[in-house]
Amino acid sequence: MKKEQNSSSVTTGRSGPRPVLPPLPQRVDGVANPVISLNGTWKLNARPPDAFWSAAIDPASWSDVAVPGYTATQGFEIEPDAEYAYRTRFQVPAEWRGQRVWLRFDGVTGAARLWVNGRYVRDHYGGFTTWYCEITDLVSPGQEAFLALGVTDKPREICVFNLGGILR
């Protein structure tokens, strides 16, 4: 079978379409740091309240969790097929004004649902794959934003080695 390449960022071949991931920017004119890391201490709730993504929900009493990291190796008991919630805050650099802003995850186990500043962005299914979403219209350069991520582990569907969490 002849391998075909489609310029719309999908490569096709014997195994079907595969996404082509854009690289992280090394340089952006007028921007000193085009990439910020969200690695660090996030908040985790193994049994989150309804609308945990809302600004009205204060995650201060939630447990601290290291991201990236497996929930199981950090002492959290996560029920399979039940959604648990992550929250974090981050500063959007003022110098990003006029630039497109993207969020990238390199691995979230199971089914994930993402909100930024209380607004639904997208969902993703898969444990060890990179996924992106544009959040330009949801954040304001020079201001703080918050991110909420609901994760549902799917050990019988994705991987039997599933310790839960934001992996990369």
Side-chain angles (χ1 to χ4, degrees):
M1 173 180 233
K2 182 181 174 189
K3 188 175 183 179
E4 298 176 18
Q5 197 163 25
N6 180 339
S7 64
S8 68
S9 79
V10 175
T11 302
T12 59
R14 205 172 282 209
S15 63
R18 292 176 300 176
V20 177
L21 301 174
L24 292 174
Q26 298 297 312
R27 188 177 70 79
V28 174
D29 289 338
V31 175
N33 188 7
V35 177
I36 60 172
S37 173
L38 298 183
N39 291 354
T41 302
W42 290 35
K43 292 297 193 175
L44 176 83
N45 191 322
R47 291 172 185 77
D50 292 339
F52 63 83
W53 54 85
S54 166
I57 301 295
D58 181 4
S61 65
W62 297 12
S63 299
D64 288 343
V65 63
V67 170
Y70 288 110
T71 54
T73 62
Q74 296 182 62
F76 296 99
E77 292 185 29
I78 303 295
E79 286 186 44
D81 301 311
E83 187 172 54
Y84 53 100
Y86 286 92
R87 291 273 300 257
T88 193
R89 295 181 118 19
F90 60 98
Q91 186 70 27
V92 180
E95 66 181 359
W96 288 9
R97 194 170 321 283
Q99 303 293 330
R100 293 173 70 190
V101 181
W102 292 81
L103 190 58
R104 171 180 160 161
F105 289 92
D106 287 322
V108 177
T109 59
R113 300 186 307 151
L114 174 68
W115 292 263
V116 172
N117 290 331
R119 294 184 51 200
Y120 177 76
V121 179
R122 67 165 288 185
D123 59 339
H124 175 79
Y125 183 82
F128 306 98
T129 55
T130 297
W131 51 285
Y132 288 85
C133 49
E134 185 171 7
I135 60 170
T136 305
D137 295 337
L138 303 176
V139 298
S140 297
Q143 295 185 12
E144 187 175 69
F146 77 91
L147 178 155
L149 186 71
V151 179
T152 305
D153 288 340
K154 300 284 188 178
R156 290 173 297 283
E157 296 176 25
I158 294 177
C159 178
V160 294
F161 175 73
N162 189 354
L163 300 175
I166 301 172
L167 311 179
R168 305 182 288 273

